[in-house]
PDB file of all heavy atoms in Angstrom:
ATOM      1  N   GLU A  12      28.764  80.269 132.829  1.00  0.00           N
ATOM      2  CA  GLU A  12      27.668  79.317 132.983  1.00  0.00           C
ATOM      3  C   GLU A  12      27.164  79.331 134.426  1.00  0.00           C
ATOM      4  O   GLU A  12      25.951  79.271 134.681  1.00  0.00           O
ATOM      5  CB  GLU A  12      28.136  77.908 132.608  1.00  0.00           C
ATOM      6  CG  GLU A  12      28.392  77.723 131.115  1.00  0.00           C
ATOM      7  CD  GLU A  12      28.986  76.367 130.801  1.00  0.00           C
ATOM      8  OE1 GLU A  12      29.409  75.668 131.761  1.00  0.00           O
ATOM      9  OE2 GLU A  12      29.050  75.992 129.611  1.00  0.00           O
ATOM     10  N   ARG A  13      28.095  79.422 135.344  1.00  0.00           N
ATOM     11  CA  ARG A  13      27.715  79.444 136.759  1.00  0.00           C
ATOM     12  C   ARG A  13      26.982  80.730 137.122  1.00  0.00           C
ATOM     13  O   ARG A  13      26.013  80.707 137.892  1.00  0.00           O
ATOM     14  CB  ARG A  13      28.971  79.288 137.621  1.00  0.00           C
ATOM     15  CG  ARG A  13      28.665  78.989 139.065  1.00  0.00           C
ATOM     16  CD  ARG A  13      29.892  78.778 139.894  1.00  0.00           C
ATOM     17  NE  ARG A  13      29.505  78.376 141.235  1.00  0.00           N
ATOM     18  CZ  ARG A  13      30.299  78.475 142.296  1.00  0.00           C
ATOM     19  NH1 ARG A  13      31.527  78.940 142.168  1.00  0.00           N
ATOM     20  NH2 ARG A  13      29.867  78.109 143.488  1.00  0.00           N
ATOM     21  N   LEU A  14      27.429  81.841 136.567  1.00  0.00           N
ATOM     22  CA  LEU A  14      26.789  83.121 136.847  1.00  0.00           C
ATOM     23  C   LEU A  14      25.334  83.124 136.376  1.00  0.00           C
ATOM     24  O   LEU A  14      24.453  83.673 137.043  1.00  0.00           O
ATOM     25  CB  LEU A  14      27.560  84.265 136.185  1.00  0.00           C
ATOM     26  CG  LEU A  14      28.872  84.669 136.863  1.00  0.00           C
ATOM     27  CD1 LEU A  14      29.654  85.632 135.987  1.00  0.00           C
ATOM     28  CD2 LEU A  14      28.602  85.288 138.226  1.00  0.00           C
ATOM     29  N   GLU A  15      25.086  82.521 135.234  1.00  0.00           N
ATOM     30  CA  GLU A  15      23.720  82.453 134.709  1.00  0.00           C
ATOM     31  C   GLU A  15      22.784  81.744 135.682  1.00  0.00           C
ATOM     32  O   GLU A  15      21.596  82.063 135.773  1.00  0.00           O
ATOM     33  CB  GLU A  15      23.704  81.737 133.360  1.00  0.00           C
ATOM     34  CG  GLU A  15      24.274  82.568 132.210  1.00  0.00           C
ATOM     35  CD  GLU A  15      24.151  81.855 130.878  1.00  0.00           C
ATOM     36  OE1 GLU A  15      23.501  80.786 130.838  1.00  0.00           O
ATOM     37  OE2 GLU A  15      24.687  82.362 129.884  1.00  0.00           O
ATOM     38  N   GLU A  16      23.339  80.793 136.424  1.00  0.00           N
ATOM     39  CA  GLU A  16      22.528  80.009 137.350  1.00  0.00           C
ATOM     40  C   GLU A  16      22.167  80.792 138.615  1.00  0.00           C
ATOM     41  O   GLU A  16      21.148  80.492 139.259  1.00  0.00           O
ATOM     42  CB  GLU A  16      23.270  78.727 137.745  1.00  0.00           C
ATOM     43  CG  GLU A  16      23.534  77.780 136.578  1.00  0.00           C
ATOM     44  CD  GLU A  16      24.397  76.595 136.974  1.00  0.00           C
ATOM     45  OE1 GLU A  16      24.841  76.566 138.148  1.00  0.00           O
ATOM     46  OE2 GLU A  16      24.641  75.717 136.131  1.00  0.00           O
ATOM     47  N   VAL A  17      22.988  81.780 138.991  1.00  0.00           N
ATOM     48  CA  VAL A  17      22.788  82.451 140.284  1.00  0.00           C
ATOM     49  C   VAL A  17      22.279  83.885 140.163  1.00  0.00           C
ATOM     50  O   VAL A  17      21.812  84.456 141.154  1.00  0.00           O
ATOM     51  CB  VAL A  17      24.099  82.448 141.102  1.00  0.00           C
ATOM     52  CG1 VAL A  17      24.573  81.023 141.349  1.00  0.00           C
ATOM     53  CG2 VAL A  17      25.196  83.253 140.397  1.00  0.00           C
ATOM     54  N   GLN A  18      22.355  84.477 138.997  1.00  0.00           N
ATOM     55  CA  GLN A  18      22.013  85.891 138.860  1.00  0.00           C
ATOM     56  C   GLN A  18      20.563  86.203 139.217  1.00  0.00           C
ATOM     57  O   GLN A  18      20.270  87.258 139.795  1.00  0.00           O
ATOM     58  CB  GLN A  18      22.319  86.366 137.440  1.00  0.00           C
ATOM     59  CG  GLN A  18      23.811  86.550 137.178  1.00  0.00           C
ATOM     60  CD  GLN A  18      24.138  86.792 135.715  1.00  0.00           C
ATOM     61  OE1 GLN A  18      23.329  86.492 134.831  1.00  0.00           O
ATOM     62  NE2 GLN A  18      25.317  87.328 135.453  1.00  0.00           N
ATOM     63  N   ALA A  19      19.659  85.311 138.899  1.00  0.00           N
ATOM     64  CA  ALA A  19      18.239  85.563 139.161  1.00  0.00           C
ATOM     65  C   ALA A  19      17.964  85.791 140.644  1.00  0.00           C
ATOM     66  O   ALA A  19      17.106  86.602 141.015  1.00  0.00           O
ATOM     67  CB  ALA A  19      17.393  84.400 138.642  1.00  0.00           C
ATOM     68  N   ASP A  20      18.709  85.096 141.520  1.00  0.00           N
ATOM     69  CA  ASP A  20      18.495  85.218 142.966  1.00  0.00           C
ATOM     70  C   ASP A  20      19.051  86.525 143.527  1.00  0.00           C
ATOM     71  O   ASP A  20      18.715  86.895 144.655  1.00  0.00           O
ATOM     72  CB  ASP A  20      19.147  84.041 143.700  1.00  0.00           C
ATOM     73  CG  ASP A  20      18.460  82.720 143.390  1.00  0.00           C
ATOM     74  OD1 ASP A  20      17.256  82.754 143.067  1.00  0.00           O
ATOM     75  OD2 ASP A  20      19.129  81.675 143.462  1.00  0.00           O
ATOM     76  N   CYS A  21      19.896  87.204 142.769  1.00  0.00           N
ATOM     77  CA  CYS A  21      20.554  88.417 143.273  1.00  0.00           C
ATOM     78  C   CYS A  21      19.970  89.702 142.690  1.00  0.00           C
ATOM     79  O   CYS A  21      20.176  90.786 143.253  1.00  0.00           O
ATOM     80  CB  CYS A  21      22.050  88.362 142.971  1.00  0.00           C
ATOM     81  SG  CYS A  21      22.891  86.946 143.703  1.00  0.00           S
ATOM     82  N   LYS A  22      19.291  89.601 141.585  1.00  0.00           N
ATOM     83  CA  LYS A  22      18.742  90.787 140.938  1.00  0.00           C
ATOM     84  C   LYS A  22      17.714  91.455 141.842  1.00  0.00           C
ATOM     85  O   LYS A  22      16.890  90.796 142.471  1.00  0.00           O
ATOM     86  CB  LYS A  22      18.124  90.430 139.593  1.00  0.00           C
ATOM     87  CG  LYS A  22      19.174  90.174 138.525  1.00  0.00           C
ATOM     88  CD  LYS A  22      18.553  89.955 137.151  1.00  0.00           C
ATOM     89  CE  LYS A  22      19.641  89.781 136.098  1.00  0.00           C
ATOM     90  NZ  LYS A  22      19.088  89.533 134.753  1.00  0.00           N
ATOM     91  N   GLY A  23      17.788  92.788 141.874  1.00  0.00           N
ATOM     92  CA  GLY A  23      16.883  93.546 142.722  1.00  0.00           C
ATOM     93  C   GLY A  23      17.449  93.812 144.101  1.00  0.00           C
ATOM     94  O   GLY A  23      16.916  94.630 144.857  1.00  0.00           O
ATOM     95  N   LYS A  24      18.544  93.147 144.450  1.00  0.00           N
ATOM     96  CA  LYS A  24      19.182  93.361 145.745  1.00  0.00           C
ATOM     97  C   LYS A  24      20.355  94.333 145.598  1.00  0.00           C
ATOM     98  O   LYS A  24      20.979  94.411 144.547  1.00  0.00           O
ATOM     99  CB  LYS A  24      19.662  92.030 146.330  1.00  0.00           C
ATOM    100  CG  LYS A  24      18.525  91.044 146.603  1.00  0.00           C
ATOM    101  CD  LYS A  24      19.043  89.737 147.151  1.00  0.00           C
ATOM    102  CE  LYS A  24      17.896  88.761 147.402  1.00  0.00           C
ATOM    103  NZ  LYS A  24      18.393  87.457 147.911  1.00  0.00           N
ATOM    104  N   GLN A  25      20.645  95.052 146.683  1.00  0.00           N
ATOM    105  CA  GLN A  25      21.677  96.093 146.663  1.00  0.00           C
ATOM    106  C   GLN A  25      22.821  95.742 147.618  1.00  0.00           C
ATOM    107  O   GLN A  25      22.597  95.166 148.690  1.00  0.00           O
ATOM    108  CB  GLN A  25      21.075  97.432 147.093  1.00  0.00           C
ATOM    109  CG  GLN A  25      19.962  97.939 146.189  1.00  0.00           C
ATOM    110  CD  GLN A  25      20.510  98.655 144.972  1.00  0.00           C
ATOM    111  OE1 GLN A  25      21.284  99.605 145.080  1.00  0.00           O
ATOM    112  NE2 GLN A  25      20.097  98.212 143.791  1.00  0.00           N
ATOM    113  N   VAL A  26      24.029  96.110 147.199  1.00  0.00           N
ATOM    114  CA  VAL A  26      25.189  95.947 148.073  1.00  0.00           C
ATOM    115  C   VAL A  26      25.828  97.300 148.360  1.00  0.00           C
ATOM    116  O   VAL A  26      25.708  98.242 147.568  1.00  0.00           O
ATOM    117  CB  VAL A  26      26.258  95.009 147.463  1.00  0.00           C
ATOM    118  CG1 VAL A  26      25.750  93.598 147.321  1.00  0.00           C
ATOM    119  CG2 VAL A  26      26.774  95.557 146.135  1.00  0.00           C
ATOM    120  N   MET A  27      26.470  97.375 149.501  1.00  0.00           N
ATOM    121  CA  MET A  27      27.365  98.482 149.809  1.00  0.00           C
ATOM    122  C   MET A  27      28.744  97.877 150.002  1.00  0.00           C
ATOM    123  O   MET A  27      28.904  96.947 150.803  1.00  0.00           O
ATOM    124  CB  MET A  27      26.940  99.238 151.079  1.00  0.00           C
ATOM    125  CG  MET A  27      27.878 100.405 151.424  1.00  0.00           C
ATOM    126  SD  MET A  27      27.199 101.540 152.685  1.00  0.00           S
ATOM    127  CE  MET A  27      27.306 100.522 154.156  1.00  0.00           C
ATOM    128  N   VAL A  28      29.724  98.360 149.256  1.00  0.00           N
ATOM    129  CA  VAL A  28      31.064  97.768 149.283  1.00  0.00           C
ATOM    130  C   VAL A  28      32.028  98.753 149.927  1.00  0.00           C
ATOM    131  O   VAL A  28      32.302  99.834 149.386  1.00  0.00           O
ATOM    132  CB  VAL A  28      31.538  97.407 147.861  1.00  0.00           C
ATOM    133  CG1 VAL A  28      32.910  96.732 147.925  1.00  0.00           C
ATOM    134  CG2 VAL A  28      30.528  96.489 147.182  1.00  0.00           C
ATOM    135  N   LEU A  29      32.534  98.377 151.089  1.00  0.00           N
ATOM    136  CA  LEU A  29      33.455  99.226 151.840  1.00  0.00           C
ATOM    137  C   LEU A  29      34.881  98.710 151.689  1.00  0.00           C
ATOM    138  O   LEU A  29      35.145  97.528 151.916  1.00  0.00           O
ATOM    139  CB  LEU A  29      33.084  99.247 153.324  1.00  0.00           C
ATOM    140  CG  LEU A  29      31.709  99.810 153.685  1.00  0.00           C
ATOM    141  CD1 LEU A  29      31.486  99.721 155.199  1.00  0.00           C
ATOM    142  CD2 LEU A  29      31.574 101.250 153.208  1.00  0.00           C
ATOM    143  N   GLN A  30      35.776  99.591 151.300  1.00  0.00           N
ATOM    144  CA  GLN A  30      37.207  99.280 151.287  1.00  0.00           C
ATOM    145  C   GLN A  30      37.824 100.125 152.389  1.00  0.00           C
ATOM    146  O   GLN A  30      37.844 101.349 152.315  1.00  0.00           O
ATOM    147  CB  GLN A  30      37.829  99.611 149.927  1.00  0.00           C
ATOM    148  CG  GLN A  30      39.306  99.227 149.846  1.00  0.00           C
ATOM    149  CD  GLN A  30      39.856  99.324 148.437  1.00  0.00           C
ATOM    150  OE1 GLN A  30      39.162  99.015 147.472  1.00  0.00           O
ATOM    151  NE2 GLN A  30      41.098  99.753 148.303  1.00  0.00           N
ATOM    152  N   SER A  31      38.326  99.454 153.411  1.00  0.00           N
ATOM    153  CA  SER A  31      38.639 100.170 154.645  1.00  0.00           C
ATOM    154  C   SER A  31      40.011  99.854 155.207  1.00  0.00           C
ATOM    155  O   SER A  31      40.548  98.761 155.038  1.00  0.00           O
ATOM    156  CB  SER A  31      37.584  99.844 155.713  1.00  0.00           C
ATOM    157  OG  SER A  31      36.278 100.059 155.232  1.00  0.00           O
ATOM    158  N   SER A  32      40.532 100.854 155.878  1.00  0.00           N
ATOM    159  CA  SER A  32      41.675 100.702 156.757  1.00  0.00           C
ATOM    160  C   SER A  32      41.282 101.476 158.015  1.00  0.00           C
ATOM    161  O   SER A  32      41.599 102.661 158.154  1.00  0.00           O
ATOM    162  CB  SER A  32      42.946 101.286 156.130  1.00  0.00           C
ATOM    163  OG  SER A  32      44.032 101.169 157.026  1.00  0.00           O
ATOM    164  N   PRO A  33      40.495 100.822 158.879  1.00  0.00           N
ATOM    165  CA  PRO A  33      39.873 101.541 160.000  1.00  0.00           C
ATOM    166  C   PRO A  33      40.868 102.449 160.738  1.00  0.00           C
ATOM    167  O   PRO A  33      42.022 102.057 160.935  1.00  0.00           O
ATOM    168  CB  PRO A  33      39.398 100.406 160.901  1.00  0.00           C
ATOM    169  CG  PRO A  33      39.192  99.263 159.975  1.00  0.00           C
ATOM    170  CD  PRO A  33      40.263  99.398 158.937  1.00  0.00           C
ATOM    171  N   PRO A  34      40.415 103.674 161.042  1.00  0.00           N
ATOM    172  CA  PRO A  34      39.038 104.192 160.996  1.00  0.00           C
ATOM    173  C   PRO A  34      38.656 104.849 159.660  1.00  0.00           C
ATOM    174  O   PRO A  34      37.627 105.521 159.586  1.00  0.00           O
ATOM    175  CB  PRO A  34      39.046 105.246 162.097  1.00  0.00           C
ATOM    176  CG  PRO A  34      40.438 105.794 162.045  1.00  0.00           C
ATOM    177  CD  PRO A  34      41.326 104.613 161.707  1.00  0.00           C
ATOM    178  N   ASN A  35      39.472 104.665 158.629  1.00  0.00           N
ATOM    179  CA  ASN A  35      39.172 105.274 157.330  1.00  0.00           C
ATOM    180  C   ASN A  35      38.393 104.293 156.457  1.00  0.00           C
ATOM    181  O   ASN A  35      38.786 103.135 156.308  1.00  0.00           O
ATOM    182  CB  ASN A  35      40.471 105.675 156.624  1.00  0.00           C
ATOM    183  CG  ASN A  35      41.275 106.679 157.431  1.00  0.00           C
ATOM    184  OD1 ASN A  35      40.744 107.692 157.868  1.00  0.00           O
ATOM    185  ND2 ASN A  35      42.562 106.396 157.648  1.00  0.00           N
TER     186      ASN A  35
END
């Protein structure tokens, strides 16, 4: 129910997700 309320504001936007152990 909560996701339905917020999805409209996020659609069309892009994320980059980094999983890191610097410097890797």
Side-chain angles (χ1 to χ4, degrees):
E12 290 174 348
R13 193 177 185 200
L14 285 170
E15 287 184 7
E16 297 174 356
V17 301
Q18 285 170 341
D20 293 333
C21 301
K22 285 186 177 179
K24 298 179 181 179
Q25 299 277 304
V26 295
M27 180 167 71
V28 183
L29 298 178
Q30 183 170 323
S31 308
S32 178
N35 300 309

